Amino acid sequence: MISNYRRLSILPLLAVVAIALVVAACTPAPPPPPVPTTPPVVEEPTTPPEVEIPTRVGLRAVDDFTLEITLTSPQAFFDSILAFFTTYPTRLDVINQFGDDWVLPGNLVGNGPYVLSEHEPQDHVTLTANPNWWGAPFTIQTFTQPVITESSTMLAAYENNELDVSGFPSAELPRILEDPVLSQEFHILPRPGVYYVGFNTNRAPTDNFHFRAALASSIDRRNILDNVLNNPWREAAQGVIAPGIPGYQGTDTGFAFDPAAAQAHLQLYIDDTGQTCTADSPCSFVVDLWFNQGNEDVLEAVAAGWTENLILTDADGNEIAAVHATTVRMEWAVYLETLDQCNATPDDTALCDYNAYRLGWVMDYGDANNIVNEVFAPGSPFQYTGYESAEVSGLIDQALTERDPAARAALWTQAEDLIVTDLAITAPIFFYDRQGLIKPWLDFEFPPFGAAFIHEWGFVEGVAVPVGVPEGMGVDTIRSGSTAEPPTLDQALATDTTSHAIINNLFAGLYKYEPDGSITPYGALSYEVSEDGTVYTVHLNPDAVWSDGTPVIAQHYVDGICRMLNPETAAEYAYVMYYILGAPEFNSGEAVECG
Amino acid sequence: MWRYILNRLFWAVPVLFLVTLVTFTAMKLTPGGPFTAGTSGRPLPPRVKAQLNEIYGFNDPAWKQYLNYMGGLLRLDFGPSYKFRGRTVNDLMFQGGLLKAPLSVSAQLGLVAVGVALVIGIPAGIVSALKQNSWLDYLAMFVAMMGVSVPNFVLGLILIWIFALTLHWLPTYGWGETPLQAVMPALTLGTGGAAFIARLTRASMLETIRADYIRTARAKGLRERVVIWRHAIKNSMIPVVTILGPLLAAWLTGTFLVEYVFSIPGIGKMYVTSINDRDYTLIMGTTVVYAVALVFFNLAVDIAYVFIDPRIRFD
Amino acid sequence: MGYILEVKELMTQFFTQDGVVKAVNGVTFHLDKGETLGIVGESGCGKSVTVLSVMRLIPQPPGKIVGGNVLFDGQDLLKVSDEQIRQVRGNKISMIFQDPMTSLNPVLTINQQVSEALMLHLGMNKEEARQRTTELLQTVGIPQAEDRIEDYPHQFSGGMRQRVMIAMGLSCHPDILIADEPTTALDVTIQAQIIDLVKRLKDEFGMAVVWITHDLGIIAGIADRVAVMYAGYIIEEASAGELYKNPRHPYTLGLLGSVPRLDEIKTDRLVSIEGLPPDLIALPKGCPFYARCPFRIDRCIEENPPLDAQVYDSDHRAACWVDVTTGRPI
């Protein structure tokens, strides 16, 4: 009996191990990786060729309340970065005292309106009002972010009045829009960003402009938004610069859905490449479209559009040429790894056997630099088209140094036209937005970039809160569901919305974003820029104190930026600060000082 | 008996070693490393990826990484988490102490569910057996049939719909704030087990009450109640206990879904998310903890036999 | 003086999916004080069902006692309340069963199982019951009873377990001990020991014994009187000596022909009577033994002979239309 039973009970044990094996087995195997040589070095797009290596990173605490930032060249959009989390001040003494545990409740010291009072991993994070807050008093005393991984459970919790703010599974959207209550609590807010298909310019047939133009013209974006995503309010994208960002062009750039024009481009491609396509021997062009799991609906519709619209017939109506789109779906990490390997070895045609791939970009700050340059500049690590264009690079360099806002926007516009129209290296599909359910008693606001400032929220007068809700709801507490545990509360390492929803309220940067996209002083009072546009002098608010009561000084900001740039920190967003003199070198481990 | 326990524990060592080896190999064979995508959902810049690979020792050959890991494991150090930067796997798995650590939360859920399963399953099985072929028996077995066939998460969603969305009686998610939070997860997890135990108890009880020694007990003039309680139940529980070990183990894996659906910060939810995150060390850590828990449960059930069935001796 | 137990026209049936199994069909017998009655028959002849019916231990459903009386101590055991019958069971009438391996509860100690009846019927406390249990175990010949009282049944041999069963049966000084094939599962030497033990204890305790067996050889040594059962009927009843000397039913005759003598080496299988007993679901209208009977006559098809078809010396009765000594109809 015992031996029998033992045999039985080993099964679940094996099952546990099997799960790990199944993950391995079910993920499509990637092409064999290239023989590793040295780590691939990709030239960062915004690093101008520096002849002289500076000895110090261009950061200086002039006095306790004056911070000086020296840039490599005049970067006119840099004020946007003053509102980015990469400039948060940091208390190195706290980090040195607690080590990795400095982010735990009780240890973490911030300069924002809230302090971290509870953090139970996989369960919830709770913030409470900072007793040493140096700004104006506010209403919301407690902010709790419970982790509810399953989005349908989150929606149920919201409907059961356990949450003030909630996401929802996309399958529930039609019900939400029809529900008399939920439809009133459903909000669409701006979140500039673009969802796009990029083309591999190193592989036939997408190595030809006309073929890419044919593909870009045969995507029925409106149909995808209206009928596939059920998001009819979203704007179809022809360019990459999102609405609300200076330089946005609407339908004045890129390719609209136009099957006739698409077919004309396909004919031009055939002529270009000297192929003969007849009814007797029709041409067939295969397009391999890669995407990651979760985008099946949109990308299958894109592929169907290509296959259905790109058919050429002769005068008798006989088919002479046709495009056949095939789709390959991959798990996210596998997808990126495969694309990355391909970017490292663009000539490896066996590895890079895609013609088109899908990615998206949600903007970090309100300047087109964040998308046109950081994503679509030739050689950017964030795109996989393999295109080269001295013209685009030249326009980007010009835009970076152009200090007149209108002229700069015009330069971004020109660069965008090249990328999406003249070169057609990408076919944008639609612009993102932010969707959520918010209880009617909340007076809320979201800036277009980054997370909400909870201390600016309040309650709507006269809206009653149902009985039986959790304590404090509708009085002084907000509960906002999150589908993930925040990966980290270390501001140098956090790059995701979940972590930022917390950190954004624990720390105060120099400036902050308003709902209209403008920036206003936060930890700073004002700044001025030197004549040549390379030196930013920021005057700090002398009233600002940390949650332990000590004053916030300029050195804390220097420490924060230097820690982020330190290669030992391995911060994902370090590159955002590369416009600072010496920053890329310091981040690459060269002998440059910071601090 | 002590020798038996020591023997079992001794054999657990190679089993655990095998578990780590298989898991490690599986993780290494799985395409897509932990540092392919940033947490922002964007590709990680190559420079950052190189920095991370250096920091976490990914540039070492696989065998060396494994030896390093095992070296740490011997000191009960599960290594750093790859997803939760700055946190160790030990932090993630044991933070919160006896009451709130994920393993403890799962154990609490498991125990409540076992309680539900036993409290519902055993009486239902006994009543069914004693009233064999009555409407009570048919009803109980119909419900048990349903309980066995309805998947956990479907039941979970049905319960949420009834008790949270329609009646507003119970909270939907979480653990440890109020006992009400335990009701739906425990029912979800426990009813499947209850149904299973009810069927098993019924079958076992039917066999037992036909046994000769039950006739002997009746021939002594004992009351029916005494005959059932004293003579039948303990005997009919032997197969139930036999199945309890594997069942507990199955529950540990079953908690994955229930913890996921009800957002309970247990080790099952952590295990699932760690796989999604490719958090290698956390996957390893949770797997090892699971394996240890399974060995422990099996041993505990083996020991429980000794108390319920005197015929079994570990000599 | 009346009988200590009187069973009249007892009828027990089992209601199964295949039909009604007529296991006991109007059995009538009696038991005198201090007497040993043997009930003999092949497997399935209804002898066990008869005594289980007396104790009302027939599993119900599917079994049901459909008629008759069991008179004991001035009352009809078939009509008293459940509570009253429980006071008789294990107290006034106790029973030991065929298979000592399965008749003891494997998860309770010997002490727990023997003490139970003592505490229930005699109102002893735990300590008294334990004391008495030890004595009883000594009485039935279990060595080192004191030490073995907390052992579990699986720690005992088959013979020892049957001794435990007997100790349990005797515990409340019953008026009647019903032994349902208590030696069948034991090997021959142990059988003899158990028989001797019961014989000794019967005198010591002054009880009446009903001994059920399929083995006429055993009965010869223990019973005062013997009833032979076939297909749910008693077909012959006589004092032990008379039955062996002068069997009057063809079936008894057959059984005696198949009895191995105790002093013979047990090598051959029993010489069995040709043919099979009738299907108890579809009993024939006439004599149930007709199909196998070497003496059968036409009357046997039509009329089932009653037990008093032949009566000799007042207590020897046989249910047969034929005089087997002459082979002629009576």
Side-chain angles (χ1 to χ4, degrees):
Chain A
M1 179 189 236
I2 286 292
S3 67
N4 228 347
Y5 146 76
R6 203 182 295 162
R7 219 175 309 135
L8 262 175
S9 58
I10 196 86
L11 286 174
L13 178 66
L14 291 176
V16 171
V17 175
I19 291 174
L21 288 170
V22 164
V23 171
C26 290
T27 356
V35 183
T37 48
T38 46
V41 177
V42 173
E43 205 47 52
E44 303 296 347
T46 51
T47 314
E50 203 66 40
V51 186
E52 238 175 277
I53 295 175
T55 57
R56 277 190 89 78
V57 176
L59 288 165
R60 192 164 72 95
V62 179
D63 59 42
D64 275 359
F65 302 111
T66 310
L67 172 69
E68 188 187 272
I69 305 173
T70 309
L71 307 184
T72 52
S73 55
Q75 314 278 351
F77 66 92
F78 194 74
D79 52 356
S80 302
I81 288 183
L82 294 180
F84 201 43
F85 71 91
T86 49
T87 60
Y88 284 166
T90 299
R91 284 282 292 274
L92 291 181
D93 58 326
V94 174
I95 296 176
N96 291 336
Q97 185 187 345
F98 296 109
D100 282 335
D101 286 345
W102 80 273
V103 291
L104 300 186
N107 299 350
L108 190 142
V109 176
N111 66 328
Y114 294 91
V115 291
L116 180 67
S117 56
E118 287 171 35
H119 182 190
E120 282 168 24
Q122 306 286 342
D123 192 45
H124 72 277
V125 178
T126 296
L127 308 185
T128 47
N130 173 2
N132 285 319
W133 172 238
W134 42 274
F138 51 83
T139 311
I140 310 296
Q141 300 299 300
T142 306
F143 174 64
T144 295
Q145 187 171 293
V147 180
I148 307 178
T149 322
E150 172 58 40
S151 54
S152 53
T153 305
M154 194 194 287
L155 178 58
Y158 176 83
E159 291 186 74
N160 197 27
N161 296 321
E162 295 168 67
L163 294 174
D164 294 278
V165 182
S166 170
F168 53 86
S170 53
E172 293 276 10
L173 185 57
R175 177 174 78 85
I176 289 169
L177 293 177
E178 279 173 26
D179 187 280
V181 176
L182 290 179
S183 61
Q184 296 306 304
E185 301 173 4
F186 174 70
H187 297 277
I188 304 157
L189 297 150
R191 182 166 67 157
V194 65
Y195 182 109
Y196 63 91
V197 168
F199 298 120
N200 183 356
T201 60
N202 290 326
R203 186 172 190 261
T206 43
D207 56 349
N208 181 280
F209 160 75
H210 286 296
F211 197 89
R212 298 197 295 269
L215 293 179
S217 313
S218 50
I219 301 169
D220 190 350
R221 299 166 175 84
R222 196 67 258 157
N223 178 48
I224 289 172
L225 285 171
D226 292 354
N227 302 321
V228 177
L229 287 180
N230 290 312
N231 279 181
W233 54 83
R234 271 190 183 169
E235 190 168 340
Q238 286 180 209
V240 294
I241 302 174
I245 305 297
Y248 166 67
Q249 300 193 71
T251 55
D252 294 341
T253 190
F255 297 91
F257 175 57
D258 184 347
Q263 285 158 16
H265 276 295
L266 184 60
Q267 185 61 57
L268 285 170
Y269 162 72
I270 293 168
D271 299 345
D272 253 15
T273 50
Q275 303 184 60
T276 21
C277 304
T278 62
D280 293 335
S281 65
C283 298
S284 173
F285 308 109
V286 175
V287 177
D288 290 307
L289 172 59
W290 287 10
F291 60 90
N292 61 306
Q293 278 168 15
N295 294 282
E296 294 76 5
D297 294 354
V298 174
L299 276 302
E300 293 296 346
V302 168
W306 290 345
T307 304
E308 283 160 22
N309 294 315
L310 293 174
I311 298 171
L312 296 183
T313 51
D314 62 13
D316 305 327
N318 298 318
E319 186 177 304
I320 58 166
V323 167
H324 299 285
T326 59
T327 54
V328 180
R329 187 186 64 156
M330 294 184 219
E331 190 271 334
W332 176 235
V334 179
Y335 180 63
L336 282 184
E337 184 161 281
T338 315
L339 287 175
D340 265 353
Q341 282 169 1
C342 182
N343 237 11
T345 51
D347 300 330
D348 188 339
T349 47
L351 193 63
C352 306
D353 57 351
Y354 63 91
N355 292 103
Y357 67 94
R358 129 42 269 152
L359 274 181
W361 186 269
V362 174
M363 294 185 68
D364 299 309
Y365 52 89
D367 192 281
N369 177 58
N370 187 233
I371 178 85
V372 176
N373 175 17
E374 289 177 0
V375 179
F376 285 108
S380 158
F382 296 129
Q383 47 96 352
Y384 305 92
T385 64
Y387 90 113
E388 304 284 345
S389 168
E391 209 179 340
V392 172
S393 300
L395 282 168
I396 287 171
D397 286 346
Q398 252 183 287
L400 282 173
T401 52
E402 176 55 62
R403 297 175 67 186
D404 174 59
R408 190 165 85 238
L411 288 166
W412 290 132
T413 304
Q414 287 176 47
E416 181 187 42
D417 284 341
L418 282 173
I419 292 165
V420 300
T421 318
D422 301 339
L423 297 171
I425 60 145
T426 176
I429 311 282
F430 59 80
F431 293 115
Y432 286 113
D433 56 23
R434 194 199 299 258
Q435 301 170 5
L437 291 162
I438 301 167
K439 289 294 183 188
W441 52 82
L442 274 181
D443 179 14
F444 63 92
E445 58 179 46
F446 283 91
F449 312 104
F453 296 93
I454 298 301
H455 70 290
E456 307 211 322
W457 291 26
F459 295 103
V460 179
E461 297 250 342
V463 177
V465 177
V467 286
V469 299
E471 203 186 328
M473 189 182 260
V475 181
D476 62 358
T477 300
I478 288 180
R479 297 160 80 100
S480 169
S482 161
T483 53
E485 159 73 10
T488 175
L489 297 184
D490 183 331
Q491 81 260 43
L493 302 177
T495 57
D496 61 292
T497 51
T498 309
S499 302
H500 273 292
I502 301 295
I503 296 171
N504 200 47
N505 294 290
L506 291 175
F507 290 89
L510 293 167
Y511 277 70
K512 68 190 272 280
Y513 271 106
E514 296 302 322
D516 65 359
S518 65
I519 64 168
T520 51
Y522 198 21
L525 292 175
S526 63
Y527 72 92
E528 63 238 14
V529 190
S530 66
E531 236 2 78
D532 67 350
T534 58
V535 180
Y536 279 65
T537 306
V538 185
H539 303 285
L540 303 184
N541 184 344
D543 294 340
V545 291
W546 293 94
S547 54
D548 64 358
T550 55
V552 183
I553 54 170
Q555 186 59 39
H556 292 143
Y557 284 93
V558 174
D559 291 344
I561 299 172
C562 284
R563 180 164 176 269
M564 168 159 274
L565 287 170
N566 191 322
E568 282 172 25
T569 311
E572 188 185 335
Y573 270 26
Y575 76 91
V576 177
M577 307 310 277
Y578 275 10
Y579 308 101
I580 299 173
L581 186 71
E585 292 81 3
F586 176 60
N587 188 232
S588 317
E590 289 175 40
V592 179
E593 279 182 65
C594 192
Chain B
M1 170 123 157
W2 284 110
R3 251 189 80 183
Y4 173 80
I5 293 174
L6 284 177
N7 190 39
R8 282 295 297 270
L9 289 176
F10 173 77
W11 279 106
V13 173
V15 169
L16 292 177
F17 171 77
L18 205 68
V19 165
T20 59
L21 190 64
V22 170
T23 315
F24 189 86
T25 312
M27 289 184 320
K28 284 291 159 190
L29 292 177
T30 308
F35 304 132
T36 306
T39 49
S40 58
R42 292 175 182 174
L44 216 48
R47 182 171 293 165
V48 180
K49 220 192 287 185
Q51 286 164 349
L52 288 173
N53 284 336
E54 187 56 44
I55 290 173
Y56 287 98
F58 274 40
N59 296 331
D60 291 336
W63 62 266
K64 200 173 169 204
Q65 292 180 41
Y66 181 67
L67 286 187
N68 284 343
Y69 180 80
M70 291 307 286
L73 203 57
L74 287 180
R75 300 188 305 273
L76 292 181
D77 173 6
F78 288 95
S81 163
Y82 297 151
K83 162 90 175 185
F84 302 100
R85 298 268 311 270
R87 311 309 304 150
T88 66
V89 172
N90 292 50
D91 286 346
L92 295 170
M93 288 199 303
F94 306 121
Q95 185 165 293
L98 264 184
L99 214 58
K100 294 200 159 168
L103 189 62
S104 167
V105 167
S106 291
Q108 291 161 29
L109 170 60
L111 279 180
V112 180
V114 170
V116 167
L118 295 180
V119 165
I120 297 177
I122 290 181
I126 291 173
V127 169
S128 273
L130 297 182
K131 307 277 174 199
Q132 194 195 359
N133 297 333
S134 70
W135 65 269
L136 210 61
D137 178 29
Y138 292 137
L139 179 74
M141 285 307 111
F142 176 76
V143 173
M145 192 70 178
M146 299 284 291
V148 171
S149 4
V150 175
N152 267 348
F153 67 94
V154 173
L155 182 63
L157 294 178
I158 292 173
L159 290 179
I160 287 179
W161 181 71
I162 296 174
F163 292 107
L165 292 184
T166 310
L167 298 172
H168 296 289
W169 283 355
L170 296 172
T172 320
Y173 70 93
W175 190 263
E177 287 165 67
T178 145
L180 290 179
Q181 287 172 320
V183 176
M184 288 197 286
L187 277 180
T188 306
L189 196 56
T191 43
F196 187 71
I197 287 179
R199 285 156 58 95
L200 195 67
T201 304
R202 177 179 182 270
S204 169
M205 194 71 187
L206 282 177
E207 203 183 306
T208 306
I209 56 178
R210 282 168 175 66
D212 289 347
Y213 55 80
I214 294 300
R215 190 179 58 190
T216 308
R218 292 209 176 100
K220 280 187 222 173
L222 298 176
R223 275 169 223 285
E224 198 56 22
R225 190 164 41 84
V226 180
V227 171
I228 298 302
W229 278 101
R230 202 172 145 88
H231 288 266
I233 287 187
K234 201 174 169 192
N235 276 291
S236 65
M237 282 305 105
I238 290 173
V240 177
V241 172
T242 309
I243 206 70
L244 215 55
L247 198 64
L248 273 171
W251 258 325
L252 273 174
T253 43
T255 56
F256 291 172
L257 271 175
V258 173
E259 287 179 13
Y260 199 79
V261 167
F262 292 101
S263 205
I264 294 165
I267 198 138
K269 187 179 161 197
M270 178 173 275
Y271 188 57
V272 173
T273 44
S274 69
I275 289 177
N276 283 337
D277 293 340
R278 297 264 148 92
D279 197 342
Y280 288 172
T281 43
L282 191 54
I283 297 173
M284 281 291 269
T286 41
T287 307
V288 169
V289 166
Y290 264 121
V292 169
L294 290 186
V295 168
F296 173 79
F297 276 124
N298 287 342
L299 193 58
V301 171
D302 276 5
I303 293 169
Y305 286 153
V306 178
F307 291 98
I308 198 163
D309 190 346
R311 283 168 295 188
I312 291 171
R313 283 279 175 270
F314 304 118
D315 298 322
Chain C
M1 192 198 79
Y3 309 122
I4 187 166
L5 179 73
E6 194 174 4
V7 175
K8 288 182 184 166
E9 290 300 319
L10 181 69
M11 283 183 80
T12 303
Q13 298 179 345
F14 291 87
F15 296 82
T16 70
Q17 282 181 336
D18 299 327
V20 179
V21 179
K22 299 166 193 81
V24 178
N25 302 302
V27 163
T28 299
F29 67 88
H30 61 85
L31 192 63
D32 288 328
K33 203 167 192 300
E35 181 192 33
T36 299
L37 171 70
I39 300 180
V40 189
E42 292 167 295
S43 306
C45 71
K47 54 194 192 297
S48 286
V49 176
T50 302
V51 290
L52 287 171
S53 300
V54 168
M55 296 281 272
R56 285 190 20 205
L57 286 173
I58 296 292
Q60 200 174 343
K64 191 166 189 233
I65 300 168
V66 292
N69 309 93
V70 175
L71 301 174
F72 173 78
D73 209 8
Q75 50 190 354
D76 185 347
L77 293 185
L78 300 184
K79 299 204 169 61
V80 299
S81 69
D82 286 355
E83 183 56 39
Q84 284 169 306
I85 187 80
R86 276 200 292 271
Q87 281 164 9
V88 173
R89 286 183 196 154
N91 187 20
K92 298 286 172 42
I93 306 177
S94 58
M95 199 164 171
I96 55 180
F97 296 98
Q98 179 173 354
D99 191 350
M101 300 305 205
T102 59
S103 294
L104 286 168
N105 192 325
V107 303
L108 298 177
T109 63
I110 300 303
N111 181 37
Q112 285 172 320
Q113 300 192 51
V114 180
S115 294
E116 218 168 24
L118 294 169
M119 296 195 280
L120 176 72
H121 295 300
L122 304 182
M124 291 184 179
N125 64 27
K126 242 183 178 160
E127 202 35 58
E128 293 164 347
R130 186 192 162 85
Q131 188 57 42
R132 178 79 185 123
T133 300
T134 315
E135 290 165 21
L136 281 165
L137 293 182
Q138 282 161 350
T139 306
V140 298
I142 290 176
Q144 289 124 33
E146 189 101 17
D147 300 334
R148 307 213 55 189
I149 192 165
E150 294 301 337
D151 281 358
Y152 288 92
H154 70 276
Q155 291 160 297
F156 282 72
S157 70
M160 285 295 148
R161 285 189 219 181
Q162 198 58 290
R163 286 173 194 265
V164 172
M165 285 295 291
I166 292 167
M168 258 165 56
L170 298 177
S171 58
C172 299
H173 277 276
D175 296 337
I176 303 169
L177 176 72
I178 298 174
D180 186 3
E181 304 213 36
T183 58
T184 309
L186 305 173
D187 66 46
V188 181
T189 47
I190 309 290
Q191 276 187 10
Q193 289 173 14
I194 295 292
I195 291 166
D196 286 348
L197 177 67
V198 174
K199 270 161 108 175
R200 178 168 66 79
L201 294 171
K202 167 178 134 40
D203 295 337
E204 217 174 297
F205 286 72
M207 15 169 226
V209 173
V210 179
W211 189 288
I212 294 166
T213 181
H214 63 268
D215 189 342
L216 271 170
I218 288 173
I219 286 295
I222 189 166
D224 301 318
R225 216 148 41 80
V226 181
V228 182
M229 282 191 74
Y230 186 79
Y233 297 96
I234 292 180
I235 46 94
E236 185 163 10
E237 190 189 338
S239 68
E242 172 74 8
L243 190 82
Y244 284 84
K245 271 187 291 181
N246 192 14
R248 285 292 174 166
H249 196 281
Y251 177 65
T252 315
L253 221 51
L255 278 183
L256 284 172
S258 65
V259 176
R261 293 171 55 115
L262 275 176
D263 51 0
E264 272 176 340
I265 301 164
K266 196 176 179 181
T267 47
D268 302 328
R269 285 289 303 145
L270 300 176
V271 185
S272 56
I273 304 161
E274 259 187 45
L276 292 168
D279 181 359
L280 293 177
I281 291 175
L283 274 177
K285 183 168 102 189
C287 176
F289 192 60
Y290 177 82
R292 302 166 82 183
C293 185
F295 299 93
R296 63 192 170 204
I297 54 173
D298 286 351
R299 185 179 180 190
C300 304
I301 306 178
E302 293 302 321
E303 271 180 84
N304 188 11
L307 184 55
D308 51 8
Q310 298 180 44
V311 180
Y312 306 90
D313 304 337
S314 82
D315 67 344
H316 186 179
R317 292 175 291 171
C320 187
W321 297 128
V322 178
D323 182 343
V324 292
T325 54
T326 60
R328 294 204 191 104
I330 51 167

